[in-house]
Amino acid sequence: MGVRTASRLENLGTETAFAVAAAAADWKARGNEIYPFHLGDLDVALAPHIVEAMNAAIADGRTGYCPGAGVPELRAALAEDVGARRGTTYSPENVTVMTGGKPVITKFVQAVMNPGDEVLYPNPGFPIYESQIEYHGGAAKAYRYLPTETGFAIDLDQVRSLLTERTVAIIYNDLQNPISAESTQAEREAIAQLAVEHDLWVLSDEAYFEMRYEGVSTSIASLPGMAERTVILYTFSKKFAMTGSRLGAAVAPVELSRVFSTMNTNDESCTTHYVQWAGIAALQGTQAPVQDMLEVLRGRRDAACEIVNATPGMSVEVPQSTFYLFPDVTEAVGLVGAEDLADFAEQALHRTGVSFCTRNHFGRPQPGEDRSYIRLAYSGLSQERIREGLTGMRRWIESAR
């Protein structure tokens, strides 16, 4: 007799970058050089004062259970920091600490969506959105982005066409992964207006809110009528290079924060106690390491964009935020004689060692898409390695012409 599992598991997806990582690791194990542009991890060391705070918390015995909603000191620090940077006011009761940003997606879906309800989400977008909506019995409705002269813009007409009486929420990722798109104020206001008019919950994924090289970020939660219907996804992973520490938070209306706290108690009991004290140090200590990291990433961005735009059949706008490029490779796919994007990625890995995700790793392609894109994450490679890997890829494509 075979092992029986729940039928809903058929709807559970994954973060597809890890599948690409497995293929890259296999190729490396065979003795080949790898340039890992596939995973948005950071090769930046954790700031010393954060390490010291974590070690001190362990030495002080902060290794046991703590409140499910998070230690009061971290909730207060997050309320102050998130509110100040977004021009809004939050109290500690608005904050629920979680084990990274992903649980905020899961618990948001569980809290606001019943089976059969519809939730709108960006596509291309972080694949966990679609996975969690479908896993919990909802109808995942994808909205697309349209290429413009400066990057990408949400297809607002399509968003409007997707709204029905069954729509309960929209997931909105400003400073977007994988395409690095940032909303204009007009686009942000349009999404907010639709949320208010149709009484929708909004999950505002702000993982990259402060990962930017120019300009200042604006949260949709700061717009009129939005604070009471918006859940902000906050994570320490990107800004503070704490990806493995698994620390994040939901900043939400108080009634929903109480629900999240109960979910935490059911799911994890609490977020790791001593890691939360490291989070306090990250928020309240010197921000110089953050600025230093952004300068390093800026140099990597510029190097990657320079080579991509010098490669036949590839082009990309220079993004002002995140640490991803989403170049159009339509002509490059044809130049090397690849059958499709998957074949292009496999050839690139085997011919040049450059490993990357494609557009198809970020949601099912939508009808009418006629361009091919890949995602290059430059956060885990030095500028020298970026130039080495992408130059090799450029030469491969040039030789195929």
Side-chain angles (χ1 to χ4, degrees):
M1 178 179 172
V3 176
R4 295 178 181 174
T5 59
S7 60
R8 65 177 176 272
L9 291 173
E10 297 174 2
N11 295 323
L12 188 63
T14 186
E15 186 170 352
T16 46
F18 290 109
V20 178
D26 177 70
W27 189 242
K28 183 177 181 180
R30 301 185 201 182
N32 299 290
E33 183 75 19
I34 292 296
Y35 301 92
F37 287 88
H38 52 264
L39 192 60
D41 204 351
L42 290 148
D43 64 346
V44 178
L46 200 56
H49 70 284
I50 299 176
V51 176
E52 290 168 7
M54 191 180 304
N55 289 338
I58 294 172
D60 291 343
R62 301 185 193 275
T63 56
Y65 290 123
C66 61
V71 299
E73 293 87 346
L74 179 56
R75 296 175 74 194
L78 278 166
E80 180 179 355
D81 188 83
V82 171
R85 294 181 186 277
R86 289 157 180 79
T88 55
T89 301
Y90 291 109
S91 72
E93 288 70 34
N94 292 114
V95 178
T96 311
V97 178
M98 298 190 190
T99 55
K102 281 181 183 174
V104 181
I105 301 170
T106 300
K107 289 168 185 174
F108 172 83
V109 169
Q110 289 177 302
V112 308
M113 185 197 79
N114 288 310
D117 286 344
E118 297 172 351
V119 176
L120 276 56
Y121 73 99
N123 181 348
F126 192 46
I128 302 305
Y129 304 146
E130 181 181 62
S131 172
Q132 288 301 304
I133 296 166
E134 294 186 342
Y135 178 66
H136 291 288
K141 299 293 184 180
Y143 63 87
R144 63 176 165 249
Y145 286 77
L146 301 174
T148 73
E149 293 182 355
T150 57
F152 294 89
I154 294 172
D155 186 344
L156 291 170
D157 288 338
Q158 187 198 32
V159 171
R160 295 184 183 97
S161 73
L162 291 171
L163 292 167
T164 73
E165 293 181 354
R166 295 168 57 198
T167 308
V168 297
I170 181 169
I171 297 176
Y172 173 65
N173 183 198
D174 207 351
L175 287 74
Q176 208 252 28
N177 172 21
I179 62 179
S180 296
E182 179 181 6
S183 285
T184 62
Q185 184 65 7
E187 181 177 273
R188 195 176 295 115
E189 289 174 356
I191 294 293
Q193 182 180 359
L194 290 173
V196 172
E197 289 177 354
H198 294 268
D199 194 22
L200 304 179
W201 284 104
V202 175
L203 174 62
S204 183
D205 185 342
E206 300 184 5
Y208 299 92
F209 190 81
E210 291 160 77
M211 301 298 294
R212 61 178 311 131
Y213 312 107
E214 292 89 24
V216 178
S217 297
T218 300
S219 173
I220 196 170
S222 67
L223 300 182
M226 292 305 295
E228 58 266 36
R229 66 179 63 254
T230 301
V231 175
I232 292 174
L233 184 158
Y234 183 95
T235 177
F236 288 78
S237 294
K238 313 303 181 185
K239 178 182 177 181
F240 298 109
M242 294 176 68
T243 54
S245 300
R246 308 316 305 141
L247 184 62
V251 183
V254 171
E255 62 271 22
L256 206 53
S257 284
R258 292 174 181 148
V259 173
F260 291 152
S261 177
T262 301
M263 288 178 169
N264 280 3
T265 302
N266 277 266
D267 290 349
E268 303 94 17
S269 294
C270 59
T271 300
T272 305
H273 194 168
Y274 53 84
V275 170
Q276 295 190 53
W277 289 90
I280 295 169
L283 290 168
Q284 297 181 341
T286 175
Q287 301 300 296
V290 176
Q291 297 306 313
D292 291 343
M293 178 175 64
L294 285 172
E295 284 307 305
V296 169
L297 291 173
R298 180 199 299 272
R300 295 178 182 182
R301 177 202 64 177
D302 293 345
C305 286
E306 173 191 336
I307 299 171
V308 165
N309 284 323
T311 301
M314 294 178 62
S315 63
V316 70
E317 297 295 329
V318 179
Q320 295 186 351
S321 62
T322 79
F323 40 67
Y324 305 111
L325 302 183
F326 200 67
D328 186 324
V329 297
T330 308
E331 281 73 35
V333 171
L335 286 172
V336 300
E339 295 179 2
D340 52 26
L341 263 177
D343 185 36
F344 179 73
E346 184 176 6
Q347 286 195 42
L349 175 63
H350 293 166
R351 302 288 182 86
T352 72
V354 175
S355 175
F356 51 80
C357 295
T358 74
R359 182 268 176 268
N360 298 341
H361 290 97
F362 299 97
R364 305 179 187 108
Q366 299 190 57
E369 290 190 24
D370 59 0
R371 306 296 296 178
S372 297
Y373 298 90
I374 62 172
R375 189 195 74 169
L376 299 171
Y378 53 83
S379 54
L381 299 94
S382 67
Q383 191 174 145
E384 179 183 5
R385 294 268 292 160
I386 288 170
R387 289 187 178 278
E388 189 176 292
L390 293 183
T391 297
M393 187 171 170
R394 187 195 72 200
R395 289 172 177 163
W396 164 57
I397 294 172
E398 285 176 338
S399 69
R401 281 198 294 183

